[in-house]
Each structure stands twice: as structure tokens, then as C-alpha cells.
Amino acid sequence: MTGPELDVLVQRKEVVADGVVRLTLRHGRGEPLPAWAPGAHVDLVLAPDLVRQYSLCGDPADRSALQVAVLHEPAGRGGSRHVHSVLAEGATVRLRGPRNHFPLVAAERYLFVAGGIGITPIVPMLAAATARGASWRLLYGGRTRSSMAFAGELRDLYGDRVDVRPQDETGLLDLDAFLVGDAEVYCCGPEPLLAAVEQRSPVRPHVERFTPKAVDGGRASFEVDLARSGRTLVVPAGESVLDVVERAGIAVLSSCREGTCGTCETGVLEGVPDHRDSVLDAGEQAACDVMMICVSRSHGPRLVLDL
């Protein structure tokens, strides 16, 4: 569930678009970094109370470095501000992962849709799809051409398979014209784009969210039996399983606390979770064998968790 944890060196920090920097991370002693596949992300522990998730956008075959691209969001919670204004080349940062809840499935045809910084997990997917000999197209939207990271180099690499659509030049993306056929659909970007793709796609799309789905806080309490700890705890209305477990002194690795990163994924031994995360797909949720305890609750009066 959680990958290795190690300290890495910020070997390079470079501007790749308006408001976007790319970090190249290397092992301090030159050792190989963890293996990963397209769609994976890592946690960067920027400060003791500042942990953020970033999609990997480099080359999975290059074990000497990991790359992430970070959009500066002035109205955000401080992670991007820290990366842009505080984190410098030569600094050491704690890394957790990689983890992958957005894997590229094998297919003959793909349609990729990216919005803004949502291009980051898509970049290695394009290379992987090309290496497999698959047919694919990318529809890439952003506010302005200068704000769209990797747009120029993707066009240079892949030609007219990449359709770059800055909103100030071409308006909103024409999803109905793009999302046709039975290709596997992958989408990453802001929530309105994801919702539109989910509504318009003729097949169930693969999506990755940077922000949580809107859900209510839960109005019913329930019990959780912790199989390994031998304890039974009550989760009140309006509190999360994670909050209750941590208050009981049981250590659980967590990060986003909003159901988007997958760090707190926990095994479910009995009961039916009320899934409220933005990580598991419909099939994974239906299996009812894991849940994200930072947001998900219970459909019944009791859950048995592997904690």
C-alpha cells in the first residue's frame, strides 16, 4: 500500500510553463530510486505538517531520477507555495512511495484528456502507449498556451496525435467530438473536466482527482473492530475512522486526509464500506476489501478492519 520512504536531493528545479516548476529528484548517494509505472505518484514531506502528493512525469526506465511538476496555486493550502518559494536546488526532501491508483491498462486504443497540470501523469502514459504500438490521441486543454507544461515538447515528439487547446484561443474542449469509439479513456485535471468526461465518455473512463469529491460528513455512528489490535471503537457522526483510530493511539500512515492520495488504504475483513474516496474505481469499491479510512464510512453498524 505504501512504498518505501527515503530522503532525496532536489538536483534540479526548472520552470517549464507559467506557474509550473519541474523538480528532478535523485538519491543522495546515487543509488537507484524505487521502480514505478505510468500513473504513479509520490508524497513529498515538505515540512513536518506539510505533505503533498505529486504525479511522476519522468521516464520509468530511468531509476537514477524521479520528476514531478508542480503548479503554483496562490489560493491553495501552502504546498505549491513552499515548492515554488522555499524549496531550492540542493535541498533534501523526504519522499514516500511511489503508489499507483491510476495505472495504464493494456489496450489497443487510448484517448487521453488532460486539463492544466493534469498533464503530469499522462506524459509517461503517452510514451508507454507508443512503446506498445497502441493507437492513441491526446486532447490537452489549459488556460493559455504559455501555462501548459510540456505542450511544445509533446507536439514535437508525437505530432498531430497531440491536440493542444488553450482556452483563450479555442474555447472549451469539444469532448463530444473527441470521446468516440471504444478506446480506453484516461483523464486528469480539474473537477469540472473530470465530471464532464465521466458524463460524456461512451466507456467508463479512468480518472485521477487532485481534489476530493463533494460528500456529506456522515450522519450515523458505527463501530469498527480492529482485528490486529483487539479493540472496538465507535466512530461518531461527523468524525472519520482515521480520527478515531489515531485518538486511540493506533498509528496509521496518512497524508491528504481527503480521500485523494491512497496513503491510508486499510483492509476490510467484514462489513460493507461506504466509499467516499476519489482513489478506488467502481470495481475496487464493489470488492469491499479495502477502504480509505480518512473519508469512507460504513453502510452498516459495524466494520472489521485489518488494524
Side-chain angles (χ1 to χ4, degrees), residues 146-162:
S146 63
S147 71
M148 298 171 69
F150 312 120
E153 60 191 76
L154 291 177
R155 283 284 295 178
D156 290 343
L157 276 172
Y158 303 119
D160 59 9
R161 283 187 286 181
V162 175

Side-chain angles (χ1 to χ4, degrees), residues 160-288:
D160 59 9
R161 283 187 286 181
V162 175
D163 191 355
V164 176
R165 296 280 176 167
Q167 187 173 348
D168 64 340
E169 298 177 22
T170 61
L172 296 176
L173 298 179
D174 187 354
L175 295 175
D176 291 327
F178 186 77
L179 297 173
V180 294
D182 59 354
E184 292 285 343
V185 175
Y186 278 79
C187 180
C188 186
E191 181 60 33
L193 175 63
L194 301 183
V197 168
E198 288 178 322
Q199 181 180 23
R200 290 171 167 80
S201 175
V203 300
R204 185 186 297 276
H206 307 264
V207 301
E208 175 149 86
R209 285 179 159 84
F210 294 145
T211 56
K213 295 177 182 177
V215 293
D216 66 69
R219 293 180 290 274
S221 64
F222 57 96
E223 289 186 349
V224 288
D225 288 349
L226 308 183
R228 280 188 279 145
S229 303
R231 301 182 64 178
T232 296
L233 305 174
V234 175
V235 181
E239 284 197 74
S240 72
V241 177
L242 178 60
D243 289 338
V244 171
V245 167
E246 287 182 332
R247 191 163 59 244
I250 298 166
V252 179
L253 193 62
S254 66
S255 180
C256 73
R257 308 185 79 93
E258 58 186 19
T260 59
C261 76
T263 305
C264 68
E265 181 177 319
T266 299
V268 179
L269 305 179
E270 292 182 35
V272 180
D274 176 9
H275 293 289
R276 295 156 176 254
D277 65 274
S278 302
V279 177
L280 302 175
D281 64 25
E284 291 168 330
Q285 291 186 348
C288 293

Side-chain angles (χ1 to χ4, degrees), residues 9 45 52 56 68 79 95 102 117 140 144 167 174 193 195 200 202 221 223 235 263:
L9 184 71
V45 183
R52 295 293 182 266
L56 293 169
V68 299
L95 180 144
F102 192 45
I117 198 63
Y140 180 15
T144 64
Q167 187 173 348
D174 187 354
L193 175 63
R200 290 171 167 80
S221 64
E223 289 186 349
V235 181
T263 305

Side-chain angles (χ1 to χ4, degrees), residues 77-134:
R77 296 173 298 149
S80 69
R81 188 182 319 117
H82 184 97
V83 169
H84 278 253
S85 303
V86 178
L87 195 63
E89 289 185 356
T92 297
V93 63
R94 192 73 169 166
L95 180 144
R96 297 174 183 161
R99 291 187 301 277
N100 199 340
H101 293 283
F102 192 45
L104 185 68
V105 300
E108 294 182 357
R109 294 177 300 280
Y110 300 94
L111 295 175
F112 298 101
V113 183
I117 198 63
I119 191 62
T120 52
I122 302 295
V123 169
M125 291 184 177
L126 304 182
T130 301
R132 295 174 186 178

